[in-house]
């Protein structure tokens, strides 16, 4: 990063430009070359928003935008998963799901990618470890909804995940209070933060529960499938 190391990264609506700190946002959308130059990503704050997004809906976008504002993130990477062991197989291809996200939001700071398929990982822990290794210096935060907090204790290596990545969790009506009574929330209760602004830089484990938002969408309802 010759010539840019002394320049402070500004937190604003990033747009493609010749600035090498902005280029990764354009480059990441070309997911066929996901690891072209990891050095460009140093000193950035990136949200990792994982899921099958089958299908994506405005509630997903609301959550990603809320996390970006609250944590002062430069971008949110939507890690579109090939599948999930706790869910039925996606009804659309990963390419179709990425295309839907791009149609939902033209914001260049919202970056849908198939990084997980490129990595060949099978769990969130494996994926995040690969990304932290490849992009040393980047500050990552994991983004998820309160429904995922309820299930977190069932995730593979969830305690290792929480021990290496700060968590931004969005409250959901009818789910938030139950999720806070779950095994993971009780185990991590002492590590809950009151404010999210410095979540990316906080010693882990650390997590923040954002206020509930009235977004009734759920992918399973749009698919017409019952809750599991």
């Amino acid at each position: 990063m010759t010539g840019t190391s002394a320049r402070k990264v500004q937190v604003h609506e990033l747009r493609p430009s010749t600035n090498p700190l902005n280029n990764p946002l354009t480059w990441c959308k070309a997911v066929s070359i996901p690891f072209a130059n990891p050095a460009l990503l140093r000193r950035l704050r990136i949200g990792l928003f994982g899921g099958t997004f089958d299908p994506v809906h405005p509630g997903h976008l609301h959550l990603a935008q809320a996390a970006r504002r609250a944590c002062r993130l430069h971008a949110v990477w939507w890690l579109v998963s090939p599948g999930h062991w706790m869910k039925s197989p996606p009804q659309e291809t990963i390419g179709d799901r990425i295309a839907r996200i791009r149609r939902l939001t033209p914001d260049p700071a919202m970056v849908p990618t198939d990084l997980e398929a490129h990595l060949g990982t099978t769990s969130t822990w494996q994926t995040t470890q690969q990304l932290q290794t490849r992009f040393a210096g980047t500050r990552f935060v994991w983004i998820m909804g309160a429904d995922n907090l309820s299930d977190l204790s069932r995730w593979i290596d969830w305690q290792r995940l929480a021990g290496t990545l700060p968590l931004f969790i969005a409250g959901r009506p009818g789910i938030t209070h139950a999720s806070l009574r779950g095994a993971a929330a009780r185990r991590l209760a002492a590590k809950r933060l009151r404010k999210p602004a410095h979540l990316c830089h906080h010693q882990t484990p650390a997590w923040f529960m954002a206020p509930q938002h009235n977004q009734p969408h759920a992918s399973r309802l749009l698919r017409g499938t019952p809750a599991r």
Side-chain angles (χ1 to χ4, degrees):
M1 291 181 55
T2 303
T4 64
S5 59
R7 185 178 184 276
K8 183 178 179 181
V9 179
Q10 297 296 318
V11 180
H12 57 74
E13 192 69 25
L14 296 180
R15 295 179 176 85
S17 75
T18 57
N19 183 343
L21 291 177
N22 291 2
N23 284 345
L25 302 182
T26 303
W27 154 73
C28 285
K29 299 188 86 168
V31 292
S32 61
I33 48 170
F35 306 120
N37 193 342
L40 293 177
L41 292 166
R42 290 174 184 160
R43 299 170 60 239
L44 294 185
R45 295 183 295 277
I46 303 293
L48 300 177
F49 188 20
T52 54
F53 303 108
D54 181 40
V56 67
H57 54 70
H60 289 133
L61 180 59
H62 178 91
L63 195 166
Q65 291 173 330
R68 182 172 178 241
R69 289 191 300 268
C71 298
R72 303 174 183 176
L73 303 173
H74 294 97
V76 175
W77 292 358
W78 298 51
L79 305 181
V80 183
S81 173
H84 195 291
W85 66 275
M86 294 175 65
K87 298 180 179 180
S88 56
Q91 296 184 2
E92 293 187 319
T93 68
I94 193 168
D96 288 340
R97 285 176 278 143
I98 286 176
R100 279 183 179 269
I101 296 170
R102 287 177 174 160
R103 288 196 296 270
L104 179 66
T105 173
D107 185 350
M110 295 289 148
V111 186
T113 95
D114 60 354
L115 288 175
E116 192 170 72
H118 283 275
L119 291 169
T121 52
T122 57
S123 72
T124 300
W125 160 251
Q126 291 176 351
T127 299
T128 57
Q129 283 301 288
Q130 288 269 4
L131 292 177
Q132 287 181 307
T133 298
R134 291 174 183 264
F135 303 113
T138 301
R139 296 283 184 170
F140 289 114
V141 58
W142 184 259
I143 301 169
M144 64 183 184
D147 52 333
N148 292 130
L149 178 61
S150 298
D151 294 330
L152 185 59
S153 61
R154 299 172 57 197
W155 290 20
I156 299 170
D157 291 319
W158 76 270
Q159 294 186 62
R160 298 173 75 182
L161 172 68
T164 56
L165 270 185
L167 310 176
F168 178 92
I169 303 167
R172 289 182 58 183
I175 296 177
T176 297
H177 293 301
S179 71
L180 291 173
R181 294 193 297 269
R186 287 186 282 108
R187 177 70 66 88
L188 300 171
K191 305 299 181 180
R192 183 179 177 184
L193 305 184
R194 294 186 177 183
K195 296 181 179 180
H198 301 291
L199 186 61
C200 279
H201 298 277
H202 205 283
Q203 181 179 353
T204 52
W207 61 290
F208 174 78
M209 174 70 80
Q212 298 182 11
H213 62 91
N214 296 316
Q215 290 286 336
H217 307 88
S219 293
R220 64 174 178 79
L221 296 178
L222 296 177
R223 289 193 304 269
T225 56
R228 289 181 175 272

